[in-house]
Structures are given as C-alpha cells and as structure tokens.
Amino acid sequence: MAGAQTRTSYDTAAERSDALWRKIGEDPSGLRMLTGDRPTGALHIGHYFGSLRNRVRVQDMGVETWLIVADYQVITDRDVIGDIKGSVRELLTDYLAAGIDPERSTIFTHSAVPALNQLMLPFLSLVTQPELERNPTVKAELAAAGKSAMGGLLLTYPVHQAADILFCHGNLVPVGRDQLPHIEQTRVIARRFNERYAGGEQYFAPPSALLSEAPTILGLDGEHKMSKSRGNTVMLRMTADETLKKIKKAKTDSDRLITFDPEGRPEVANLLTIAAECSGRAPQEIAEEIGDKGAGTLKMYTAEVLNEHLRPLRERRAELEQDPGYLFEVLRRGNERANAEADATLQRVRELMGMVY
Ligand code: TRP
C-alpha cells in the first residue's frame, strides 16, 4: 500500500478531472456544469484568464451550463454588504460580454431560490463540526478577514455550496485549487445523503472538479493575487488607455534582458503570461523576441496584445451596459429556471425523507 499512501486527494481530483475533459470532448451529453462567483464587483483579467474564459469554452463545447451569482456568500467574511445590486449587474455584464449565452445557460442568485437554501438544513445534518473546522479554505478566509471569531455562515458555507451544486444535479464544477475542499465536502454530503436518507439510492451523484491549465495572474504590484481593493488589476471594463496606464505602472525589475522565470522574476513572468494568454504564443518565445529591450518594451507589447484581445469583449460590454433592463431580465429568467429545478429537487428530498404530509 506504499503507493496508495503517496497519492494525495489532489491527484485523485486531477484524475477525475482528466476523465471529465475526455468525456467533454467525446460526448458532453449528460454533463451539467455548475459554477459561479461571489458578486463583489466587476471582474478583472485574473478572473477572465483564470476561469471565465474556460467556462465559456466548456459551454461552447456543448455542456449544459449553470452559473450561480453567490450573493449569500458575500456576507460570509464581511460585515458590509455594499452595493450588491450594482455588483450583480457588473457580474452579469462581464459574463455576457465574455460569451456566456443566456439562451443556453442559466444565471441565477442564491437569494431568489428558496428551495436551494432549504436544502442546506438536511445537508447540515450530514456534516460534523470538526469537518467544518478543518476546511483549509475557510480557515484562510477567516485569517484574511482579520477576525478572531468564526461567523456561522463562514463556517458552514461549504455546505451551502453543496446545495448550490446538488440542487440542480451539477456534476462538473470548474474551480481553482482553493475550492477543492468544498467539492470534496459536496461529494461526502451526496454520499451520506444517499446512504442515510435515500436508502442507498444514488439520488445525488457526487460531482467532480474540472481543473484547467489556466494560469494564476498575479497583481501588477507583485502581490500574490489580483484584487480590486489593492488597485493592482486590469479590469475587463477598463478602456484601452486605462489598461496601458496600468500596465506601464506594473512592478518589474531592473534587468534589461527579459527572461521567463516565474520563480526568480515573478513580475516579469506575469506580464509574459498575460501576453502569452492573449497572443496564443509561448511566454519563452515572447521573452526571446524582446531580448534586452527591457521591461518598457515588454509592457508596451503586453498592453497592445491585451487590448487587442479584449476589444470585442469590451465592445459587447459597452452595449450591454446601455441596457440594464435586459441584464436583469436575463437574471429573472435564470432565477425562474433555477426555482423550477430546486422545487423539484426539494420535493423529491422530502419524499425520500418521508416528510410529505
Ligand atoms: N466559492 C466560490 C468562489 O468564491 C463561488 C461559488 C459559490 C461556487 N457557489 C459555488 C463555485 C458553487 C462553484 C460551485 O469563487
């Protein structure tokens, strides 16, 4: 069993993900993608290259697509809700501008789908306090929020997220590595539900994470992540000029010879990664071409290919911004579809649990 001991849960998740990619390519029927975001404002290129572009690809390969705008998750780690409606509108705009097709895909919010939220009650009965407390992503979020006491919703939101996925029988969840503990928790909940409440019937199928090769884009100030609050981002909604200004201000180093060295020169490598994502070229090739022309040349090239790549998206974005009525109409239709699905699931859950009176 020595081999088995060296296998990590990441390896297992990666294997399941590889099998899913094959299935998507061969026959996407029966696959349902469920993923989403917390509505905290407009999206930046880290979101776009890290996940949104990949979701659009999977949608376009024929996988049924459900996107949750996780409004109740916004209040897991902060006390101030802020302009939530504005944030939802920005997110809808970015989704549609990036190519999410509202005719084929369902976009919905937590707060508009009561039956989804109700599933959290039976699901909570299937998890223990130590399981919840050892979730590494929840612990990291508590630390990042700078709070000493864990909020009840922060502790239990992975269970809520299980409801997000299972209410519509989502079986494919494209996420980054930080979300894997939540997918694992969802798999456990699905299995325990089937055993404990469904008499062994496979009512909820354990979903799989879909991992991608997408890179993590660092903040332009060299910080680990792009984050709007740090101002180290390029937002999708920026103009070409604003983008150029941001990229010009990006932190680099004083070595004029441009090389792709993510460990030793993360800031330069980050710009090369962005340029590579936009141009479809390898970052090493771009580095060689720039050679000893320095960071200034690299920045000009990066801004140029980035602006070129985002131009069609930004044009659609500008059109969509003119019509918020349409955006919220798309959300209302999505919420309707999500409610129909959630009501049916909750009804079946009540039957399985003997709670139909
Ligand atoms: N927790 C996810 C994030 O912060 C957002 C999310 C909410 C989600 N519900 C989900 C992702 C269900 C995948 C599946 O990015």
Side-chain angles (χ1 to χ4, degrees):
M1 292 301 285
Q5 277 169 9
T6 57
R7 284 177 56 79
T8 63
S9 59
Y10 180 80
D11 294 333
T12 320
E15 256 168 41
R16 277 198 294 267
S17 169
D18 289 346
L20 259 185
W21 276 115
R22 280 193 297 278
K23 167 109 178 81
I24 293 170
E26 285 159 16
D27 173 19
S29 64
L31 291 177
R32 187 175 269 193
M33 166 163 69
L34 181 293
T35 187
D37 298 283
R38 299 178 185 197
T40 55
L43 300 181
H44 53 64
I45 60 170
H47 297 122
Y48 177 70
F49 290 119
S51 63
L52 183 52
R53 184 164 69 158
N54 191 44
R55 297 172 188 174
V56 173
R57 272 191 199 134
V58 174
Q59 168 198 267
D60 291 346
M61 288 171 90
V63 174
E64 195 186 318
T65 298
W66 292 64
L67 287 179
I68 182 157
V69 175
D71 52 358
Y72 280 147
Q73 247 183 52
V74 173
I75 47 173
T76 52
D77 61 355
R78 66 191 75 196
D79 301 330
V80 184
I81 301 189
D83 175 18
I84 190 90
K85 187 165 184 182
S87 295
V88 170
R89 191 189 62 239
E90 295 285 2
L91 193 56
L92 291 167
T93 315
D94 284 328
Y95 280 174
L96 300 193
I100 295 294
D101 174 2
E103 297 304 318
R104 280 183 288 165
S105 299
T106 304
I107 307 173
F108 64 102
T109 53
H110 275 140
S111 59
V113 189
L116 180 164
N117 295 302
Q118 188 171 329
L119 283 177
M120 189 164 172
L121 288 172
F123 287 2
L124 277 170
S125 75
L126 300 168
V127 297
T128 64
Q129 184 181 347
E131 267 172 352
L132 294 170
E133 283 176 346
R134 66 171 170 255
N135 185 307
T137 300
V138 171
K139 281 200 262 184
E141 282 163 344
L142 176 65
K147 293 188 180 172
S148 51
M150 176 84 86
L153 191 60
L154 179 56
L155 181 67
T156 55
Y157 92 80
V159 180
H160 195 207
Q161 197 158 314
D164 298 345
I165 298 169
L166 295 177
F167 93 93
C168 68
H169 301 275
N171 48 21
L172 181 167
V173 191
V175 285
R177 213 171 164 142
D178 67 310
Q179 296 289 305
L180 284 178
H182 303 349
I183 308 297
E184 203 40 56
Q185 182 67 267
T186 303
R187 295 173 61 83
V188 167
I189 288 170
R191 281 195 292 265
R192 287 186 190 154
F193 184 94
N194 297 338
E195 275 162 33
R196 232 181 269 181
Y197 298 136
E201 181 195 324
Q202 288 294 299
Y203 180 59
F204 288 120
S208 305
L210 184 74
L211 302 165
S212 79
E213 309 268 285
T216 302
I217 306 291
L218 311 179
L220 297 176
D221 53 358
E223 284 297 328
H224 185 61
K225 261 181 120 169
M226 280 208 162
S227 88
K228 220 181 355 161
S229 52
R230 285 212 180 88
N232 63 3
T233 63
V234 173
M235 306 301 292
L236 294 178
R237 66 168 184 202
M238 280 178 177
T239 64
D241 270 357
E242 288 166 338
T243 302
L244 176 64
K245 275 198 197 114
K246 277 278 176 189
I247 298 275
K248 272 189 177 165
K249 275 201 224 126
K251 185 175 169 208
T252 50
D253 55 45
S254 55
D255 190 344
R256 284 196 65 80
L257 182 66
I258 297 304
T259 53
F260 184 64
D261 176 7
E263 293 283 313
R265 305 178 72 188
E267 295 92 359
V268 167
N270 192 45
L271 292 175
L272 287 165
T273 301
I274 295 169
E277 287 297 309
C278 297
S279 61
R281 302 171 69 194
Q284 293 86 349
E285 182 194 327
I286 300 170
E288 263 170 47
E289 186 177 280
I290 293 176
D292 62 4
K293 293 200 201 78
T297 306
L298 171 60
K299 287 177 179 180
M300 292 306 286
Y301 178 74
T302 304
E304 190 186 308
V305 286
L306 179 57
N307 279 331
E308 187 57 29
H309 184 79
L310 293 180
R311 193 156 42 92
L313 182 156
R314 283 170 165 166
E315 281 168 12
R316 280 195 298 274
R317 210 186 183 289
E319 277 168 34
L320 289 161
E321 269 180 340
Q322 300 304 310
D323 198 353
Y326 168 72
L327 294 168
F328 284 107
E329 181 53 34
V330 165
L331 184 59
R332 264 192 298 277
R333 286 206 309 263
N335 282 335
E336 250 171 57
R337 286 201 286 262
N339 269 300
E341 192 81 12
D343 288 346
T345 300
L346 183 61
Q347 183 53 29
R348 184 73 190 128
V349 163
R350 287 196 188 106
E351 286 164 15
L352 289 165
M353 297 178 78
M355 293 175 170
V356 180
Y357 308 113

